[in-house]
Amino acid sequence: MKASIEWLKEYSDINVTAKELGDILTMTGSKVETVEEQGGDIQNVVVGKILEIKPHMDSDHLVVTKVDLGNGEIVQIVTGANNIHENDIVPIAKDGSKLPGGVEIKKGQLRCVDSCGMMCSVGELGLDIHNYPDQIENGIMILKPETEKDLGKDIKEVLGLNQTIIDFEITPNRPDCLSIEGLGRETAVSLKETFKNPRKNLEEMKVPDKDNIEGLTVNIEAPDLCYRYIARVVKNVKIGPSPDWMVKRLNSCGVRSINNIVDITNYVMLELGQPMHAFDINSIEGKHITVRRAKQNEKIITLDDQERQLDENMLVIADEKKPVAIAGVMGGQNSEIEEDTQMVVFESAVFYGGSIRKTAKAVGLRTEASARYEKGLSPENALKVVNRAVELVEQLGAGEAVEGKVDVYPTKQKVNQIPLQVERINHLLGIQATKEEMIDILEKLEIKVKNDVVIPPYFRQDVEQLADVAEEILRFHGYDKLETTLINSETTLGGRNKEQTIQDKVAGLLVNLGLSEICTFGFISQKDLAKCNVTEENEYLKEAVHIQNPLSEDYTIMKTTSVPTMMQMLQNNNNYKNKDVRLFDVSRTYQNKNTAIEKGELPLENNILTIGMYSESEDFYTLKGLVENVLEVAGMARYDVRKETNNKMYHPGRCANINVGNDIVATLGEANPLLTRNYDISQRILLAEINLDKIAKYARSNKKYAPITKFPAVERDISMLVDETVEVGEIEKIIQKKAKKTLEEAKLFDIYRNEKLGENKKSVAYSLKFRVSDRTLKDEEINSIMTEIIAELEKSLGAELRK
């Protein structure tokens, strides 16, 4: 929000420099971004009058002029401008003057004729041509005839360029400060001056309510989105330019002048903080205004000549046949003020901020009006604003006010009442302010205190609870007056819980094994899931958590599986020609289990460790060993490895699950060839997903240590012929079951396939090591155990012992 000091002086005496004022306002919560001295780069440019114009004796396009600079000073200037005439009043850059862009003007000669300065155009003075519609872009600036009295005066003073503009950063909770009045109030209290309210007459103005004015009626069909709608009518309208003082103030706030009626709506918005709109009453079919939700696919051409498609979630101002404005965003071209407009309707309405923000974003149109509405405006300010607009119309002679107003106010503003707890506020802030000091600060801000109850004014809807009252007191008590103290509260020593400890250990292990950790987003797109072979029937889509306001179309759902993001990272590395890539990522996945969100519950979150690798020297067993190392470090001692064929993201014959009972704690294997093709990767991809939350659930944190036994081990080898469908995990379970505690290690050392073995047969060989801690095992004991193992393998798996 920009404001000129000249405008702020209407509300408060200002006896400090612009920089000092900026520092003071920043310390009281109205952060100042910049302080700009307008015209600071224009020096020694004055007003002059052309007395004589003669052709240059040595040029067919130059002329020699005599210019009166006042006080008897007449200079000669050579120029090529063709839009000047004798007696024109123009800006003159004298010898030694400076212009925007670092341009310096010196006395010199043009074709052997002395030239003692330069006549200036709008652009050469660094001005916006749009703010001077009567000037031409590539010609000398011609000033109004009445400026002849200002000959020799600084052009900045004559054109009003000597203003100081302060640019404020207004926080979202202070929409009242998106106005000169609000900033003026803050300025007065910050400087300990009296707040001068030049618009106090508006609060005392009594305008009778009417059912209609000049046949105009209003109806609100969506009171949940439109809290109040006021309409006043002005007749005998005279469209024309605005006076210089209004144009200068609009320009100081970065608003371009258009015509007197439109300028009044913009001026009042800047002055009082409430957006307005002006309609041509003849453009309203049936003279009936309805505030309603738009119809699906309804269209409107806005004032910027763009066609906007609407939907039923948007609010519009409509007549009996069509929408004439997108509520709170921009008016429609079909109700625009034209040069022949005779009767104007001034609209002052207050809408629900959330709806305006969503609408502005959906139609791609954020305006000064929508920026104010989305922060939440007070319905009580609407009447004051529309009365000010009508007052300005009559003040400028732009029309005559029609008596009365149409005021539809279905949703009244709630009045907050907050107990003033002096001790609680002092304890909260760490100060020792008296009750009288607190009341004095609050009342200067027009916050009433009655019977120890704080009652905020209508324009301070942000003051809702005791903490807000404390903030207002602290702002003007002084943040810089707070003493530095130690923390005065009970504290506890921090530490990592079991899950965090396991995560740190696993991350350290993987880094030591040569893997690189990556960090990924918590959301993905449906396209990513499709590339990973996830279809509509898959639980990853059925249980997806959809984002209501996604950053882009690429990030519409929360991450349901970590595979797509890992595949994307592997693809990036492959594109960069990186070889032997080994990555891991720890991130969360989100599942809407049993429609939890619809029931008002939180989605299921899982902490997932994802490993992704590709290399010519690594295969499934490399990955399996890596995952087993992770489980060992985490403290997982008992688990099963089971073949997995249903997970479509993995190769159907090269994938396994790590189970504890029937609970899957990890999945690992080779990526489905469809994935590698979709991501344009020619190499074999190895993937693993490990649920760290489940690992922590089953892991044992208390390790048991045993002495090294002094008794020797007994080793046996066993080789058997089994069907191709038999998994080695099943074989190991039987060996472990029958050997019980005597088995120290079962090591798979050979899997052999050959046509001579038979169709769909394979040979599997294990090296078994037996040992107990209290004695040396005898051959008879080992032979008995081996016999039981072989018998069970033959019975359960159909194995044949190879001899």
Side-chain angles (χ1 to χ4, degrees):
M1 174 69 188
K2 291 185 177 181
S4 68
I5 289 184
E6 175 266 335
W7 204 347
L8 290 175
K9 283 182 177 178
E10 278 197 6
Y11 297 86
S12 171
D13 292 330
I14 299 176
N15 299 313
V16 294
T17 66
K19 186 180 184 306
E20 289 172 334
L21 178 61
D23 292 340
I24 292 170
L25 289 172
T26 297
M27 287 302 297
T28 56
S30 302
K31 184 183 177 185
V32 172
E33 287 289 302
T34 59
V35 177
E36 175 190 356
E37 299 283 348
Q38 267 195 346
D41 47 3
I42 300 176
Q43 297 180 19
N44 205 22
V45 179
V46 300
V47 176
K49 178 180 179 180
I50 301 174
L51 301 177
E52 178 184 281
I53 302 176
K54 290 185 177 181
H56 193 289
M57 60 182 180
D58 194 26
S59 173
D60 57 356
H61 69 279
L62 296 176
V63 294
V64 181
T65 66
K66 299 289 186 183
V67 181
D68 183 3
L69 301 183
N71 297 323
E73 183 180 3
I74 296 176
V75 297
Q76 176 175 285
I77 295 177
V78 179
T79 179
N82 55 15
N83 70 312
I84 58 173
H85 304 86
E86 291 183 356
N87 297 319
D88 279 349
I89 312 298
V90 298
I92 301 295
K94 299 171 67 175
D95 179 30
S97 62
K98 293 183 179 179
L99 297 175
V103 178
E104 295 188 21
I105 304 301
K106 298 290 186 181
K107 180 179 179 180
Q109 288 188 336
L110 287 174
R111 300 278 181 97
C112 301
V113 177
D114 290 338
S115 182
C116 302
M118 184 182 80
M119 299 179 187
C120 299
S121 67
V122 172
E124 287 164 336
L125 291 174
L127 306 177
D128 188 346
I129 189 66
H130 294 100
N131 295 327
Y132 299 90
D134 54 337
Q135 303 293 330
I136 62 175
E137 189 164 2
N138 297 313
I140 301 302
M141 184 177 191
I142 309 298
L143 304 177
K144 294 180 180 179
E146 53 265 31
T147 56
E148 184 174 353
K149 67 180 184 303
D150 299 319
L151 294 183
K153 279 190 177 181
D154 192 319
I155 194 67
K156 293 184 290 186
E157 180 181 349
V158 175
L159 295 180
L161 301 179
N162 51 357
Q163 297 187 86
T164 301
I165 311 298
I166 301 180
D167 191 359
F168 294 89
E169 180 185 331
I170 306 301
T171 54
N173 66 317
R174 293 300 304 276
D176 61 299
C177 286
L178 288 171
S179 67
I180 301 298
E181 182 182 66
L183 291 172
R185 184 181 295 105
E186 291 289 310
T187 299
V189 180
S190 299
L191 295 176
K192 297 180 172 56
E193 298 285 348
T194 302
F195 174 60
K196 299 181 290 185
N197 189 354
R199 306 280 83 82
K200 190 174 182 180
N201 65 305
L202 298 175
E203 298 170 0
E204 302 168 354
M205 189 181 296
K206 302 297 181 183
V207 181
D209 289 333
K210 292 190 176 184
D211 293 334
N212 71 81
I213 305 175
E214 298 292 331
L216 179 74
T217 57
V218 175
N219 177 43
I220 297 178
E221 292 184 357
D224 57 323
L225 301 183
C226 179
Y227 302 150
R228 189 177 191 180
Y229 191 102
I230 304 177
R232 289 200 65 181
V233 177
V234 174
K235 63 182 180 179
N236 299 327
V237 172
K238 300 172 185 175
I239 305 297
S242 298
D244 288 344
W245 63 267
M246 180 176 284
V247 173
K248 290 175 184 177
R249 286 188 170 180
L250 289 174
N251 291 345
S252 69
C253 294
V255 178
R256 180 167 60 90
S257 173
I258 298 175
N259 61 51
N260 50 5
I261 298 299
V262 176
D263 288 355
I264 285 172
T265 62
N266 288 330
Y267 185 88
V268 173
M269 176 183 70
L270 294 171
E271 185 179 45
L272 301 178
Q274 165 71 43
M276 294 186 63
H277 190 60
F279 300 99
D280 185 333
I281 197 170
N282 293 323
S283 67
I284 302 172
E285 296 282 351
K287 292 189 178 180
H288 180 69
I289 291 176
T290 301
V291 186
R292 59 171 173 82
R293 285 176 167 84
K295 300 172 184 176
Q296 192 65 32
N297 298 324
E298 194 169 22
K299 295 181 180 179
I300 182 175
I301 299 177
T302 47
L303 290 171
D304 59 353
D305 296 328
Q306 298 294 316
E307 185 178 73
R308 314 280 177 181
Q309 184 165 310
L310 311 175
D311 62 49
E312 55 195 9
N313 296 317
M314 301 175 183
L315 192 68
V316 296
I317 313 300
D319 59 22
E320 292 182 347
K321 294 184 178 180
K322 62 187 183 301
V324 295
I326 303 176
V329 181
M330 184 175 281
Q333 199 178 70
N334 51 27
S335 61
E336 185 178 9
I337 302 296
E338 305 285 355
E339 291 185 2
D340 59 349
T341 298
Q342 295 295 312
M343 190 173 292
V344 168
V345 178
F346 281 110
E347 165 205 291
S348 178
V350 178
F351 309 108
Y352 169 53
S355 172
I356 300 304
R357 178 173 173 77
K358 290 178 181 178
T359 298
K361 185 177 180 181
V363 300
L365 185 62
R366 196 165 188 270
T367 60
E368 287 283 345
S370 68
R372 284 169 168 79
Y373 276 122
E374 66 188 30
K375 292 175 176 62
L377 300 181
S378 167
E380 293 295 320
N381 196 34
L383 179 59
K384 177 180 176 182
V385 168
V386 75
N387 289 340
R388 173 59 171 159
V390 172
E391 179 185 63
L392 283 170
V393 168
E394 294 184 323
Q395 181 180 330
L396 302 185
E400 302 172 20
V402 177
E403 184 181 4
K405 67 179 185 298
V406 178
D407 186 357
V408 184
Y409 195 178
T411 309
K412 304 291 184 181
Q413 179 176 332
K414 184 182 74 171
V415 177
N416 290 325
Q417 295 190 357
I418 309 158
L420 179 63
Q421 303 175 34
V422 176
E423 291 184 6
R424 173 65 180 149
I425 291 173
N426 280 329
H427 179 74
L428 188 66
L429 301 179
I431 62 175
Q432 294 297 323
T434 65
K435 177 180 177 180
E436 290 71 24
E437 289 172 336
M438 293 183 183
I439 293 175
D440 181 58
I441 291 173
L442 293 172
E443 289 186 342
K444 285 180 179 178
L445 291 167
E446 300 186 30
I447 299 175
K448 296 180 181 178
V449 180
K450 186 176 181 181
N451 298 327
D452 289 341
V453 175
V454 178
I455 305 174
Y458 67 85
F459 53 82
R460 290 303 305 274
Q461 297 182 83
D462 60 301
V463 181
E464 299 177 322
Q465 54 188 326
L466 186 69
D468 299 322
V469 176
E471 180 185 9
E472 296 304 302
I473 292 169
L474 182 58
R475 286 200 301 130
F476 296 99
H477 176 273
Y479 293 108
D480 55 327
K481 295 179 182 177
L482 291 177
E483 296 181 3
T484 302
T485 60
L486 295 174
I487 297 175
N488 184 22
S489 62
E490 294 183 2
T491 61
T492 57
L493 293 175
R496 290 183 173 87
N497 57 27
K498 181 179 179 181
E499 291 80 3
Q500 293 169 331
T501 301
I502 289 175
Q503 183 174 321
D504 283 354
K505 286 182 178 180
V506 168
L509 168 72
L510 294 175
V511 169
N512 291 336
L513 290 175
L515 278 74
S516 299
E517 184 173 7
I518 60 173
C519 295
T520 58
F521 288 127
F523 29 72
I524 56 176
S525 73
Q526 198 161 328
K527 295 177 183 177
D528 294 328
L529 291 174
K531 290 174 72 174
C532 287
N533 211 19
V534 175
T535 60
E536 293 287 346
E537 295 76 22
N538 194 289
E539 65 177 6
Y540 289 133
L541 268 179
K542 287 182 178 180
E543 299 176 351
V545 178
H546 293 268
I547 303 171
Q548 291 185 352
N549 55 339
L551 295 176
S552 71
E553 294 180 0
D554 293 332
Y555 302 110
T556 57
I557 57 179
M558 299 301 292
K559 187 188 291 183
T560 55
T561 170
S562 54
V563 170
T565 48
M566 179 57 73
M567 288 298 298
Q568 182 63 55
M569 295 302 102
L570 293 173
Q571 181 189 36
N572 292 345
N573 279 273
N574 185 63
N575 291 341
Y576 294 143
K577 307 299 182 184
N578 293 332
K579 298 181 179 180
D580 298 330
V581 175
R582 311 173 88 207
L583 306 175
F584 76 94
D585 170 41
V586 178
S587 59
R588 290 189 179 275
T589 61
Y590 305 83
Q591 291 175 277
N592 185 19
K593 282 285 186 184
N594 302 319
T595 63
I597 295 177
E598 288 75 5
K599 298 175 184 176
E601 301 172 2
L602 294 175
L604 175 65
E605 297 183 27
N606 288 303
N607 215 23
I608 303 296
L609 165 65
T610 311
I611 298 173
M613 306 187 300
Y614 65 77
S615 170
E616 294 181 358
S617 61
E618 293 172 335
D619 57 13
F620 173 84
Y621 296 102
T622 307
L623 178 65
K624 180 173 178 287
L626 195 62
V627 173
E628 288 174 338
N629 283 341
V630 169
L631 298 179
E632 182 181 357
V633 165
M636 285 274 294
R638 297 182 178 275
Y639 55 86
D640 298 325
V641 181
R642 299 179 186 175
K643 187 175 182 180
E644 170 61 49
T645 58
N646 296 323
N647 194 324
K648 295 182 179 180
M649 291 189 290
Y650 292 83
H651 193 295
R654 301 169 188 171
C655 177
N657 289 331
I658 305 292
N659 283 53
V660 176
N662 292 322
D663 195 4
I664 300 174
V665 298
T667 300
L668 66 148
E670 184 178 323
N672 193 310
L674 288 173
L675 270 67
T676 57
R677 184 162 61 247
N678 289 341
Y679 284 93
D680 196 26
I681 302 175
S682 58
Q683 302 192 60
R684 179 171 54 187
I685 299 296
L686 299 174
L687 297 171
E689 300 170 86
I690 304 171
N691 191 318
L692 293 178
D693 294 329
K694 291 184 178 181
I695 296 295
K697 175 183 175 182
Y698 297 116
R700 293 186 307 176
S701 56
N702 54 332
K703 291 185 178 181
K704 293 183 178 180
Y705 296 89
I708 299 174
T709 180
K710 59 183 178 180
F711 299 103
V714 179
E715 296 184 357
R716 293 282 191 275
D717 289 346
I718 181 171
S719 178
M720 69 204 80
L721 189 66
V722 295
D723 291 339
E724 189 67 54
T725 57
V726 174
E727 298 178 13
V728 294
E730 298 177 74
I731 298 173
E732 289 177 5
K733 283 184 182 179
I734 291 174
I735 294 173
Q736 182 67 53
K737 178 182 178 182
K738 292 300 178 180
K740 299 180 182 177
K741 293 184 179 180
T742 60
L743 181 68
E744 185 177 86
E745 181 183 26
K747 184 176 181 181
L748 175 69
F749 69 86
D750 183 53
I751 297 178
Y752 174 69
R753 295 174 177 87
N754 190 284
E755 294 179 357
K756 295 180 180 180
L757 297 177
E759 188 177 355
N760 295 322
K761 293 287 185 176
K762 62 183 176 182
S763 172
V764 180
Y766 276 90
S767 176
L768 308 180
K769 183 186 292 185
F770 300 90
R771 192 197 320 249
V772 292
S773 60
D774 58 348
R775 69 186 188 281
T776 300
L777 289 170
K778 298 180 179 180
D779 287 342
E780 291 80 6
E781 291 180 85
I782 302 302
N783 292 338
S784 175
I785 293 171
M786 292 296 295
T787 300
E788 289 185 27
I789 292 173
I790 293 168
E792 186 64 28
L793 289 172
E794 291 174 346
K795 177 183 175 181
S796 300
L797 303 180
E800 298 178 24
L801 188 66
R802 294 188 70 193
K803 299 180 181 179

